[in-house]
Every structure is written in structure tokens, then in C-alpha cells.
Amino acid sequence: MNTANLLLATSSDPLFPLVFLGIALTVVAAVAVANRVIMTRRRTAYEAFCLERGYRFEPERPGEEARHAATCRLFTEGHAHRWGFTIVGTSGGTPFTAFEYRWTTGSGRNSQTHRIGGLLWTVERSLPQFLLTPEGLWAKIAAYFGWQDIDFADSPEFSSAYRLRGSDEAAVRQLFTPARRQVFELFRGQHAAGAGPELMWWRDGALPPPDQFDAFLMEGQRIQLAFVRD
């Protein structure tokens, strides 16, 4: 019997759908177990790292994103919000909170899950609400249709590299001095948001493993320092 006939004979067997379903469920279960093992290993590694550094580790903070919705609009997008691994500590005399956050947009086959690893600081100033993200294709399309994108005539490189939004445009323009814009020009591809005394920086993806955490922290602190200095 050739392959085509074998497949035809098998597919006509009433047990075939059950066999196929069983295989599919086995694959799903195997993936779930593998993910659980990975998460357990990551958690164990972070717990040991934080114990060594004197940081505090929390596996999750349910509903924490609602407390920071005024700082960053990302926390109001989509559904299935999950504030996961959280590290609280001090670096260079400055307290920080590192976190991993996940949410979903869309539904069914059109759903998409997003994940970021970020840092939060409390600064000794009142920031106007702002959101700064890299200038991608969708941002250019949005600006074309009239969505907000604050540009600076004297900083064409900054304006072409980033989309800047804020509830008080005049205050945001005042905040983004030439010196601050220069920092973002030098370190391209940054994500930042702020409101009141809270400043946030993030990058796409999960928090890095412990052996890369210092580099992650330093990357974020470049941006934090730009807002501390006048």
C-alpha cells in the first residue's frame, strides 16, 4: 500500500481523530511542563542572586500594573495582565524596582502576547506625563493620520528616531532639553515613560538572567541619570 492509500485508510478510521487529539494534547502538556521547568529554574536562580546581593525577590505582584497606569499607558492596554518576577534593591545609592510584565492584545487567532523587562525609580521632581518609544513604521503611520508625535526642529535625529507623546505638550517639550535629547540620540532604541515622581524604562522581552542583570541595570540607569540631572 502506497503512502497516499495508507493515509486515506487511516483517516477513515473512526479512531483517527482520537489518536490525533491524544498526540496534540501530549505535545501541549510537554510544552507546559517544559515551560514550568524553565520558570522554576529562573526563579531559583533569581532567588539565589537576590539573596547574595541583598535584594528582595518576589515571584509576582498581582494587580501591580494598576498602580502605575498613570506613569505608562502600556499598563492599560489589552487583557490578561501579569506582573511577574520583581526585584527590589538599591544601586549606587538609588532604590530601584526591576520587573517583568506580560499582557495580551487581540483575541483568538489574532491575539498577541507582549512581554517587557523594566525598571522603576522614584525621582525627586514632578515629571509631566510622557511616553517615549522608538519611531517604527506604525508610529510613522499614526503620526501621518494625526496622532501625537512631539518633534523638535533643532533635533532632527531625535525626532526621526523616537515618537514622543504627553498629556501636556508644553511641559514635555520643556522636560526634553537638548542635553536629554542628546542622551537618547546617543543610546538609540530606548523606551521610557514618566508621570509625577515616577520614572520607568524598559526593553522588550523578559528580565535577563542574573549574570546579565548588572548590564541591564546600567543600561536603564543611563536614562534615569538623564532625568535626575538638569
Side-chain angles (χ1 to χ4, degrees):
M1 182 180 293
N2 59 37
T3 303
N5 289 335
L6 178 60
L7 288 174
L8 181 61
T10 304
S11 61
S12 63
D13 189 325
L15 294 178
F16 179 75
L18 295 177
V19 173
F20 183 79
L21 178 61
I23 293 173
L25 291 175
T26 299
V27 171
V28 170
V31 171
V33 170
N35 287 337
R36 194 176 301 115
V37 169
I38 291 172
M39 290 296 288
T40 300
R41 288 177 177 173
R42 290 186 67 215
R43 174 173 175 168
T44 300
Y46 274 126
E47 287 174 337
F49 172 73
C50 289
L51 182 63
E52 178 185 336
R53 292 293 185 88
Y55 298 157
R56 186 174 81 249
F57 175 79
E58 299 173 38
E60 62 179 342
R61 285 185 175 182
E64 178 70 11
E65 68 280 353
R67 296 184 55 214
H68 308 284
T71 300
C72 185
R73 298 178 187 176
L74 290 182
F75 296 131
T76 64
E77 291 185 357
H79 54 95
H81 306 137
R82 187 177 186 279
W83 187 291
F85 290 170
T86 303
I87 297 173
V88 179
T90 300
S91 176
T94 302
F96 71 86
T97 299
F99 65 94
E100 194 169 289
Y101 177 67
R102 186 179 68 205
W103 75 101
T104 301
T105 53
S107 60
R109 293 182 179 179
N110 296 319
S111 67
Q112 183 177 2
T113 298
H114 313 265
R115 178 182 288 180
I116 60 172
L119 291 163
L120 280 167
W121 301 273
T122 298
V123 294
E124 294 182 0
R125 65 187 310 161
S126 182
L127 299 170
Q129 187 278 320
F130 75 90
L131 176 63
L132 182 78
T133 54
E135 183 87 84
L137 175 61
W138 290 112
K140 293 180 185 295
I141 293 174
Y144 177 81
F145 284 102
W147 291 18
Q148 187 184 34
D149 186 2
I150 302 172
D151 289 332
F152 295 84
D154 59 336
S155 295
E157 289 189 24
F158 173 88
S159 298
S160 65
Y162 292 99
R163 182 184 179 194
L164 177 60
R165 289 163 277 177
S167 55
D168 183 341
E169 182 170 334
V172 173
R173 285 186 176 278
Q174 187 175 6
L175 175 67
F176 277 81
T177 61
R180 288 199 180 97
R181 280 179 259 150
Q182 190 173 37
V183 171
F184 284 97
E185 289 175 9
L186 183 61
F187 302 106
R188 296 291 185 98
Q190 302 297 320
H191 302 76
E198 192 166 75
L199 175 67
M200 174 179 161
W201 170 88
W202 73 95
R203 66 186 191 188
D204 294 333
L207 282 175
D211 62 350
Q212 298 175 27
F213 187 81
D214 287 342
F216 171 81
L217 190 56
M218 288 178 61
E219 187 178 350
Q221 284 176 326
R222 293 193 196 111
I223 304 304
Q224 180 257 344
L225 287 173
F227 288 95
V228 169
R229 299 167 181 163
D230 287 322

